[in-house]
Amino acid sequence: MIKVTLPDGSVKEMAQGVTPMDVAKSISEGLARNVISASYNGTTIETTTTLTTDGTLILHTWNDKEGKKAFWHSTSHVMAQALEELFPGIKLTLGPAIDNGFYYDVDFGDQRITDADFKKIEDRVLEISREKHEFKMRAVSKAEALEVYKDNEYKTELISNLEDGTITFCDHSNFFDLCRGGHIPNTGIIKAMKILSVAGAYWRGDEKNKQLTRVYGISFPKQKDLTDYLELLEEAKRRDHRKLGKELDLFHFSQKVGQGLPLWLPKGAALRERLENFLKKAQKKAGYEQVVTPHIGMKDLYVTSGHYAKYGADSFQPIHTPAEGEEFLLKPMNCPHHCEIYNARPWSYKDLPKRYAEFGTVYRYEQSGELHGLTRVRGFTQDDAHIFCTPDQLDAEFKNVIDLVLYVFGSLGFENFTAQVSVRDLDNPDKYIGSVENWEKAENAIISAAKDKGLNYVIEAGEAAFYGPKLDFMVKDALGRSWQLGTIQVDYNLPERFDLTYKGSDNELHRPVMIHRAPFGSMERFIAILLEHTAGNFPIWLMPEQAIILSLSEKYENYAQKVLNLLENHEIRALLDNRNETISKKIREAETQKFPFMLIVGEEEEKNGTISVRRHGDAGKSNQSMTIEAFAALVNEEINKTLKQF
Ligand SMILES: [Zn+2]
Ligand SMILES: [Zn+2]
């Protein structure tokens, strides 16, 4: 008998040689129907793998990440089979599952795959799936594997790097593939499949290697899931920040300025400024001080900080000056500069914590193929801050930072988020710098802060950086996609490298602890995510213009101007559209520009001293007539709904 421990802690005594599917059946038939993969003692296995030792079993269904991974990876085998049938002679390479679906990298040789082939491939995948072929793992010797794939240089390379005795193939139908495992029980549960796109991809991601064709696909256990997913993709396209950025006149990219270097247009700059001021105001209340540092620094600064070792070779190269021997780097991080600000004078424990904040622009080289709108750029501005404190202050400082991050998320309408606490791998203490005592203090500070603040968090052992533990926030947007925003990181490394000190109550010199934090992450990426989350309908407090006044004709210009002045007195940001255009055209354009309110003025309004209020997206509803005062009260009420006091 073996002991099988389940995630709820219960232990089942089972006969040696049972399979995960047997265990599922012993729990309930319903569970057994839904189980699609499993892991045992942390290793992914098949539902048919026999269990021979004691261990911890997790049964995966479509509803969890591992289950989806097995589902999608298995479909990639079926797609590879269909591709081989339809394009004889192609060479298969690798076909993993990804966050949304899977891909297979294929060398098509002289053949070409186009959009017109997608339907054929999808139909064949579903045909094979309906035949309910089981996925079965088979061990093969290295010699045999090399012989089988002697005409496929890619698989040959993969096999050469594997150890004899560890090599397995996966069989289904009349198809086999080199594979480590992790499949669904049979093809029958694949009910819907779609090829999403094809793209070029270098073998093993190396530009020097041959370019292969990456075929992206996705599959589902129900047709309805696929329909929903495709709708979501369409909505994501409509909300693409690159498209909205253009429509709303927020930012622009110029090939002359350079790839990945966004240009902020007046409206986008105003939006950024509003976000910056919002955070600056909260930071001021939280005791931060603003600092300003240059965009470049001596190469040695980054050698000291260790950033040169990390970014140097793969990033922008040093700038040489006319004077010999001088080398400057574009700043990849703000931290070293802030360390030197701290070092500008001696500190006593009574002076700490010091909290230095800066909207600091940094530059990192990204390959042109990696650039994407505002989410992957070569120059971006972090809402950066560094807190220098004593180890005893860490707990309170951490809680304060969490409060600030939660305030930021709440005010911007991100209600759905989780947190991840990354701590040491206790089995590998040599990987980390800093004393064990300090690490314990820091980890306990983060965990107790996360607990106290009621965060929905998970602890990940071994995920900490070598220089300190951290807390990351994962935010779900309106389309259910996860984004990593807001990092709070403890650092024992830079205080060491920059020899930062403070005088303790014992009159001795001590090292402060450093916290890096950025609630937005970067202004560019944050605005991109916010655009896609809100589809450009930002919270009203953030809107560059909260209302637009639309006059029915030029006759009402004076009254429209008066309304604009009154709104200004109420601190409402508004524009006036007094063009000699039809009102329906003006409304249409105002809708595209996403003004939250359209205020229509004509004869009636002028006579009564009112405005006719129409909300964005309220087509078909009748406008509301109200006074300017009533409208101002309405706007303020909406603002207070999202923008709370910090
Ligand atoms: Zn496989
Ligand atoms: Zn930093």
Side-chain angles (χ1 to χ4, degrees):
M1 297 294 267
I2 55 165
K3 286 196 179 81
V4 177
T5 309
L6 297 165
D8 64 359
S10 64
V11 180
K12 282 198 161 258
E13 294 251 356
M14 307 285 291
Q16 200 175 36
V18 290
T19 66
M21 192 51 88
D22 296 332
V23 179
K25 279 184 186 144
S26 79
I27 298 169
S28 83
E29 278 298 325
L31 178 63
R33 266 196 304 277
N34 286 314
V35 165
I36 56 179
S37 86
S39 28
Y40 204 54
N41 293 329
T43 307
T44 305
I45 53 167
E46 314 292 303
T47 54
T48 51
T49 307
T50 51
L51 309 178
T52 53
T53 58
D54 292 352
T56 304
L57 178 70
I58 306 176
L59 298 165
H60 302 297
T61 69
W62 169 256
N63 293 321
D64 58 65
K65 216 174 147 185
E66 285 300 314
K68 284 190 178 70
K69 202 170 142 189
F71 196 91
W72 286 331
H73 167 70
S74 303
T75 315
S76 89
H77 280 294
V78 184
M79 182 178 78
Q81 180 188 5
L83 287 172
E84 261 193 350
E85 287 175 15
L86 296 166
F87 301 88
I90 57 169
K91 288 174 186 167
L92 299 171
T93 70
L94 286 165
I98 50 177
D99 282 353
N100 287 297
F102 56 88
Y103 66 75
Y104 214 115
D105 281 350
V106 181
D107 182 349
F108 276 87
D110 298 334
Q111 307 180 71
R112 247 169 61 88
I113 176 172
T114 67
D115 296 14
D117 300 311
F118 291 4
K119 178 80 172 57
K120 255 189 325 208
I121 303 164
E122 291 158 9
D123 286 349
R124 182 63 190 131
V125 167
L126 291 178
E127 215 170 76
I128 299 166
S129 298
R130 276 193 294 273
E131 291 162 8
K132 286 196 183 146
H133 300 287
E134 279 180 33
F135 290 97
K136 286 191 187 132
M137 297 303 291
R138 159 167 61 105
V140 288
S141 71
K142 192 164 179 168
E144 191 190 335
L146 286 170
E147 172 59 26
V148 167
Y149 281 114
K150 66 174 183 295
D151 296 326
N152 182 326
E153 61 269 35
Y154 311 100
K155 296 279 190 194
T156 301
E157 186 181 321
L158 295 173
I159 295 162
S160 305
N161 293 325
L162 294 173
E163 224 154 292
D164 202 1
T166 66
I167 301 170
T168 48
F169 282 4
C170 175
D171 294 311
H172 81 268
S173 177
N174 57 0
F175 179 85
F176 64 87
D177 203 346
L178 174 70
C179 183
R180 268 194 303 252
H183 305 95
I184 55 179
N186 69 72
T187 60
I189 57 175
I190 304 167
K191 303 284 192 203
M193 187 267 174
K194 184 100 188 146
I195 295 192
L196 298 171
S197 61
V198 290
Y202 294 105
W203 168 235
R204 307 214 119 175
D206 188 338
E207 287 174 54
K208 289 182 211 91
N209 288 339
K210 180 156 184 194
Q211 195 172 42
L212 307 170
T213 303
R214 181 165 291 180
V215 185
Y216 285 100
I218 196 160
S219 58
F220 294 94
K222 283 189 206 128
Q223 179 61 41
K224 165 106 177 46
D225 294 339
L226 174 61
T227 314
D228 289 350
Y229 179 75
L230 293 177
E231 264 168 32
L232 197 74
L233 278 190
E234 278 306 308
E235 183 57 30
K237 254 189 223 162
R238 277 192 288 274
R239 289 172 180 238
D240 189 319
H241 74 276
R242 294 168 299 178
K243 177 173 167 283
L244 288 174
K246 203 172 267 171
E247 286 168 12
L248 299 176
D249 274 335
L250 298 177
F251 55 88
H252 174 67
F253 286 92
S254 144
Q255 291 301 318
K256 275 193 178 154
V257 172
Q259 294 185 74
L261 298 169
L263 301 172
W264 289 89
L265 307 177
K267 274 189 166 191
L271 175 74
R272 253 178 88 134
E273 191 177 46
R274 210 168 298 290
L275 271 175
E276 288 186 10
N277 289 342
F278 153 75
L279 185 58
K280 271 185 191 162
K281 198 171 150 193
Q283 284 181 168
K284 195 165 184 195
K285 280 195 181 156
Y288 288 77
E289 298 168 286
Q290 285 294 128
V291 295
V292 177
T293 66
H295 289 231
I296 65 173
M298 297 277 280
K299 180 180 153 190
D300 272 353
L301 177 71
Y302 307 105
V303 172
T304 304
S305 69
H307 292 122
Y308 187 73
K310 188 167 172 225
Y311 295 102
D314 295 324
S315 198
F316 292 111
Q317 293 307 293
I319 302 162
H320 297 268
T321 61
E324 280 193 24
E326 272 192 318
E327 284 187 298
F328 290 88
L329 275 185
L330 285 171
K331 149 167 101 173
M333 291 278 225
N334 300 301
C335 346
H337 295 244
H338 291 188
C339 286
E340 285 305 289
I341 287 181
Y342 180 89
N343 259 344
R345 54 158 280 191
W347 298 104
S348 142
Y349 70 98
K350 290 182 214 147
D351 303 318
L352 302 186
K354 297 304 293 178
R355 309 178 188 95
Y356 297 135
E358 176 179 19
F359 286 89
T361 305
V362 296
Y363 301 88
R364 293 178 201 166
Y365 177 77
E366 300 272 359
Q367 289 185 8
S368 55
E370 302 284 318
L371 297 172
H372 181 86
L374 291 180
T375 53
R376 282 294 276 279
V377 286
R378 286 175 172 172
F380 55 94
T381 304
Q382 295 179 312
D383 54 323
D384 216 353
H386 296 97
I387 300 169
F388 301 89
C389 65
T390 70
D392 292 333
Q393 290 167 335
L394 202 56
D395 198 49
E397 284 308 305
F398 225 90
K399 285 188 180 133
N400 293 341
V401 178
I402 292 179
D403 282 340
L404 184 69
V405 172
L406 297 185
Y407 170 67
V408 167
F409 289 176
S411 302
L412 288 154
F414 289 107
E415 269 121 35
N416 194 347
F417 58 84
T418 53
Q420 178 181 317
V421 180
S422 300
V423 298
R424 279 165 305 169
D425 169 6
L426 288 173
D427 295 333
N428 281 304
D430 298 344
K431 265 171 57 183
Y432 308 97
I433 72 146
S435 72
V436 170
E437 190 199 346
N438 278 344
W439 268 88
E440 275 169 5
K441 248 186 208 163
E443 289 174 352
N444 290 336
I446 298 178
I447 293 165
S448 91
K451 214 178 270 169
D452 278 14
K453 296 297 169 190
L455 297 182
N456 173 13
Y457 69 96
V458 289
I459 298 175
E460 291 289 345
E463 289 293 308
F466 75 92
Y467 53 81
K470 62 176 176 167
L471 178 68
D472 290 320
F473 288 88
M474 297 295 298
V475 176
K476 264 220 168 106
D477 74 6
L479 299 186
R481 299 170 301 183
S482 280
W483 299 90
Q484 199 213 307
L485 283 181
T487 296
I488 317 175
Q489 191 145 16
V490 177
D491 187 352
Y492 295 110
N493 180 41
L494 288 186
E496 222 29 76
R497 283 174 171 260
F498 281 90
D499 195 20
L500 308 184
T501 57
Y502 67 91
K503 195 171 266 178
S505 55
D506 56 1
N507 249 341
E508 301 280 326
L509 287 181
H510 298 270
R511 287 257 181 265
V513 188
M514 196 171 164
I515 300 175
H516 309 251
R517 42 106 285 178
F520 294 145
S522 88
M523 301 308 287
E524 285 72 11
R525 191 164 168 276
F526 187 80
I527 288 173
I529 295 166
L530 191 62
L531 267 168
E532 300 196 0
H533 177 55
T534 62
N537 300 302
F538 300 123
I540 190 163
W541 66 266
L542 185 61
M543 273 292 185
E545 276 96 22
Q546 296 157 322
I548 184 159
I549 303 161
L550 310 174
S551 60
L552 276 176
S553 87
E554 285 169 323
K555 262 200 287 180
Y556 309 107
E557 179 168 7
N558 286 342
Y559 180 62
Q561 191 59 52
K562 191 178 149 198
V563 171
L564 183 65
N565 295 343
L566 284 171
L567 289 177
E568 266 168 23
N569 292 345
H570 285 285
E571 292 185 358
I572 292 171
R573 299 184 291 275
L575 279 186
L576 172 55
D577 183 354
N578 202 37
R579 290 172 306 159
N580 199 13
E581 293 286 356
T582 63
I583 192 71
S584 58
K585 183 169 185 208
K586 289 182 178 182
I587 290 176
R588 221 166 36 239
E589 288 182 12
E591 283 283 354
T592 326
Q593 288 287 308
K594 300 181 191 281
F595 291 98
F597 293 101
M598 287 153 267
L599 314 177
I600 298 152
V601 293
E603 188 178 351
E604 173 105 5
E605 285 74 23
E606 179 162 16
K607 197 175 74 199
N608 299 330
T610 56
I611 46 179
S612 180
V613 179
R614 178 192 166 104
R615 276 173 188 266
H616 170 72
D618 262 4
K621 283 195 194 156
S622 55
N623 300 342
Q624 254 186 305
S625 173
M626 60 178 84
T627 63
I628 309 288
E629 285 67 33
F631 175 68
L634 175 73
V635 172
N636 279 320
E637 194 186 313
E638 301 249 324
I639 290 175
N640 291 334
K641 254 190 246 164
T642 43
L643 189 60
K644 304 271 183 310
Q645 284 301 313
F646 180 66

